[in-house]
Amino acid sequence: MAITSANQLELLQTAEAVAREKMIDPGLVVEAMEESLARAAKSRYGAEMDIRVSIDRRTGKATFTRVRTVVEEEELENYQAEFTVEQAKQYMADPVVGDTFVEEIPPVEMGRIAAQSAKQVILQKVREAERDRQYEEFKDRAGTIINGTVKREEYGNVIVDVGRGEAVLRRNEKIGREAYRPNDRIRAFIKDVRRESRGPQIFLSRTAPEFMAELFKMEVPEIYDGIIDIKAVARDPGSRAKIAVISYDGSIDPVGACVGMRGSRVQAVVNELQGEKIDIIPWNEDQPTFLVNALQPAEVSKVVLDEEAGKIEVVVPDEQLSLAIGRRGQNVRLASQLTNLDIDIMTEAEESERRQKEFEIRTKLFIETLDLDEFFAQLLVSEGFTNLEEVAYVELDELLVIDGVDEGTAEELQARARDFIEAKNRAAMEAARELGVQDSLVAFDGLTPQMIEALAKDGVLSLEDFATCADWELAGGWTTVEGERVKDDGILEPFGMTLETAQDMVMTARIVLGWVDPAELAAENEETETETEEEAEA
């Protein structure tokens, strides 16, 4: 095929036809043609040459040019595409390094092999452009619901036709034992869109909590308009779900609006989710109140929240225990997911027994360590004192409110408590010293003498030893052995050490020892925070 044919517009017509068919920019097709013609010219004139082709967007005329770049003499490598300043003077008036000399060369006749190669280049470019268009189209639709048609099923994964592309509904993203046949209509949530070498990969889900939230948004106009907000969703796909909602308009009941007239709105969602039972719960800023709502239909007698540990204790009447826990723990598990809290459920009888045991243990502690009679020790426990540290270092006024305690008695109580703690600390430090603990560990901030003794007993004798510890070795954790979760006891776990505190202390030790640069660590943390924020926004 000769490029200098009379019908030069044929190139542009072909580019426009391909672009229309594939729904991509005609300019991309023309660029692919230019690249393919340049390849053909290189095979004719020499692969080392820098040959470029430009197709006029109006006339379709293809112009072939050879480009040579001026380089330093010692950098001259490719004699076909580069030349020195001296060599360039015969072509250019005042050449300097970096200048380019462009000269037009005769067009080439495209043989059969060159034409085939050109066709492959154009097809490849068109495929890449089509993939980019698909990715750009679907990336902004992540987090929304899409309707599609089932094309086929492969190893349990469903391939879905979503218009100008294909999506995958993986086996673990289907509800229960859903089965689909070719040409079935399907509605799913776009969980993720990834750009991969084989093209954009669109991953669907019908088990994601967001799928339920989006379905409610479609069925409930008040949610779509922002009058009602979905605060949290927890699902056991195909079985049961809980959704927490709040209304920003006092005249609108959020639960009633989501249920709809005679349950029409919620029933539409239930039908789409294969009969999944849905509990619609009013959201509340007060966590204990919200938890009581989340455990419906069970009744709750009392809630005790430990904000620091992120745990919550719920006391229910004896006859409500099975209802609160639910079949196979389903109700309490969903409530835990909804509130993002660890929930410990116990009956009133169990709570009473536990409190009695705790009362007896604390009473015995005060009797033995402070040399008190049983009545006075019980009085301290009744006033909320749980350990010696609280008695020793509390404000004096808090002891004076106890009946029968004057200033002299309060001071004596604190003195006894402090003496006992100091004696215990001395004994712990002596034991640690005998085990060979080093001053570097003793001087490290945040470790009590009892902690240092526990570390020494486990062979952690220096700050270097401490810095090599993993956070779970200090605070405890869980590992999976042969499919079963096994508890790993932490050295400092008995002292209430958390994983987060252990991480901070170990990192501080590494900084003190010079193993870690604080500036680099701060930069890494800032980068991680930025990535987390970007993911949250996405």
Side-chain angles (χ1 to χ4, degrees):
M1 180 182 79
I3 299 303
T4 53
S5 64
N7 190 8
Q8 293 174 334
L9 286 173
E10 187 179 344
L11 284 174
L12 295 181
Q13 292 168 353
T14 304
E16 287 175 5
V18 172
R20 261 198 312 273
E21 181 187 345
K22 301 294 184 180
M23 299 185 67
I24 58 176
D25 182 5
L28 292 172
V29 183
V30 175
E31 286 176 13
M33 289 178 169
E34 289 173 341
E35 184 178 331
S36 63
L37 291 173
R39 284 194 182 186
K42 282 185 179 182
S43 66
R44 167 70 176 81
Y45 289 111
E48 296 296 321
M49 287 191 182
D50 183 2
I51 296 177
R52 303 174 191 180
V53 178
S54 174
I55 297 176
D56 190 298
R57 285 353 185 226
R58 289 186 302 105
T59 64
K61 180 183 178 183
T63 304
F64 289 69
T65 55
R66 177 189 181 186
V67 180
R68 281 186 281 184
T69 306
V70 181
V71 297
E72 297 280 2
E73 189 170 350
E74 60 271 14
E75 294 178 3
L76 182 62
E77 292 180 356
N78 183 355
Y79 293 91
Q80 298 291 343
E82 299 170 344
F83 52 10
T84 64
V85 174
E86 286 298 321
Q87 292 170 340
K89 284 180 179 178
Q90 58 183 308
Y91 303 103
M92 305 167 69
D94 189 19
V96 295
V97 173
D99 284 352
T100 56
F101 176 68
V102 181
E103 60 179 332
E104 190 170 342
I105 58 176
V108 297
E109 293 283 336
M110 190 175 285
R112 184 178 60 81
I113 295 175
Q116 188 66 25
S117 175
K119 181 181 177 183
Q120 291 299 324
V121 171
I122 294 170
L123 288 175
Q124 180 64 26
K125 285 283 185 182
V126 167
R127 274 196 294 267
E128 288 174 5
E130 195 175 11
R131 288 170 181 172
D132 287 342
R133 179 195 57 73
Q134 285 181 356
Y135 177 75
E136 292 299 323
E137 178 182 344
F138 286 101
K139 72 169 184 176
D140 295 328
R141 295 181 66 182
T144 63
I145 287 178
I146 194 167
N147 293 312
T149 306
V150 174
K151 291 187 74 174
R152 62 188 181 279
E153 192 164 350
E154 297 175 352
Y155 306 106
N157 302 323
V158 179
I159 310 303
V160 182
D161 183 352
V162 288
R164 293 196 289 267
E166 283 187 355
V168 180
L169 178 65
R170 288 176 171 167
R171 182 169 47 191
N172 61 334
E173 297 290 351
K174 294 192 293 186
I175 298 173
R177 298 180 179 178
E178 282 183 328
Y180 295 98
R181 289 174 297 189
N183 299 321
D184 281 355
R185 298 289 296 168
I186 187 171
R187 182 188 287 181
F189 178 77
I190 301 179
K191 192 173 183 179
D192 192 15
V193 180
R194 301 178 198 161
R195 190 197 293 270
E196 295 185 4
S197 58
R198 55 183 174 173
Q201 297 295 300
I202 305 162
F203 296 99
L204 305 179
S205 174
R206 285 176 53 82
T207 61
E210 297 89 350
F211 182 45
M212 176 183 286
E214 289 297 312
L215 286 173
F216 269 102
K217 189 183 290 186
M218 294 170 67
E219 296 294 338
V220 183
E222 291 87 347
I223 295 176
Y224 183 83
D225 294 336
I227 300 170
I228 293 175
D229 189 17
I230 298 173
K231 302 293 286 187
V233 181
R235 290 182 64 193
D236 194 348
S239 177
R240 196 175 196 91
K242 291 179 184 285
I243 181 168
V245 292
I246 185 173
S247 172
Y248 296 114
D249 185 336
S251 63
I252 294 178
D253 170 26
V255 176
C258 291
V259 172
M261 187 71 70
R262 296 180 183 175
S264 59
R265 291 174 174 176
V266 71
Q267 193 57 47
V269 178
V270 169
N271 292 341
E272 178 63 44
L273 299 178
Q274 305 294 323
E276 193 169 312
K277 295 181 177 65
I278 302 173
D279 297 330
I280 304 171
I281 295 158
W283 188 81
N284 197 299
E285 285 187 4
D286 181 56
Q287 281 189 316
T289 304
F290 179 36
L291 180 60
V292 170
N293 295 340
L295 282 170
Q296 292 177 3
E299 296 176 8
V300 177
S301 303
K302 184 166 62 174
V303 173
V304 181
L305 174 64
D306 183 351
E307 291 185 359
E308 288 185 7
K311 292 184 178 181
I312 200 161
E313 289 182 356
V314 177
V315 181
V316 298
D318 292 17
E319 67 277 7
Q320 292 282 316
L321 180 63
S322 60
L323 189 60
I325 294 173
R327 187 181 62 178
R328 296 177 183 172
Q330 186 184 63
N331 194 53
V332 69
R333 184 173 67 252
L334 290 175
S336 179
Q337 292 172 13
L338 200 69
T339 57
N340 202 26
L341 289 168
D342 287 334
I343 302 172
D344 186 12
I345 293 185
M346 61 182 70
T347 63
E348 291 173 344
E350 289 171 340
E351 196 241 356
S352 175
E353 184 181 346
R354 193 198 67 178
R355 286 192 172 277
Q356 185 61 37
K357 283 183 180 178
E358 286 179 355
F359 189 88
E360 291 172 0
I361 291 169
R362 289 168 185 168
T363 300
K364 187 178 179 183
L365 170 70
F366 291 141
I367 290 173
E368 292 176 351
T369 57
L370 300 179
D371 193 22
L372 301 176
D373 60 32
E374 186 176 0
F375 174 75
F376 205 98
Q378 289 177 345
L379 203 58
L380 278 177
V381 178
S382 300
E383 287 296 327
F385 291 94
T386 60
N387 56 53
L388 285 176
E389 283 74 12
E390 289 179 1
V391 177
Y393 303 112
V394 78
E395 292 292 333
L396 204 62
D397 293 345
E398 293 192 34
L399 288 170
L400 294 176
V401 298
I402 302 173
D403 288 339
V405 176
D406 55 22
E407 192 169 333
T409 306
E411 288 176 350
E412 175 63 22
L413 271 175
Q414 288 199 320
R416 290 183 186 181
R418 287 170 183 165
D419 287 346
F420 188 88
I421 291 169
E422 287 170 7
K424 191 175 179 183
N425 286 346
R426 280 195 302 273
M429 190 55 71
E430 287 172 6
R433 289 291 188 187
E434 287 178 6
L435 289 167
V437 73
Q438 296 180 16
D439 290 340
S440 60
L441 189 62
V442 173
F444 186 63
D445 192 31
L447 294 176
T448 65
Q450 284 81 19
M451 288 181 180
I452 293 171
E453 181 187 13
L455 288 167
K457 286 179 177 177
D458 210 81
V460 180
L461 302 175
S462 66
L463 192 59
E464 286 82 357
D465 295 339
F466 185 81
T468 59
C469 289
D471 50 13
W472 60 267
E473 289 181 285
L474 299 176
W478 294 84
T479 54
T480 302
V481 179
E482 295 181 357
E484 291 186 9
R485 277 168 57 82
V486 179
K487 180 73 172 67
D488 289 321
D489 294 328
I491 304 170
L492 302 182
E493 192 174 355
F495 304 97
M497 178 69 66
T498 63
L499 274 173
E500 187 176 354
T501 304
Q503 287 170 359
D504 291 342
M505 291 183 74
V506 169
M507 192 55 66
T508 302
R510 292 172 182 174
I511 291 171
V512 169
L513 291 167
W515 296 358
V516 175
D517 183 353
E520 289 182 6
L521 184 64
E524 284 179 14
N525 290 339
E526 188 175 338
E527 187 177 332
T528 303
E529 287 174 8
T530 304
E531 288 176 359
T532 304
E533 288 172 4
E534 288 175 354
E535 287 173 5
E537 288 173 3

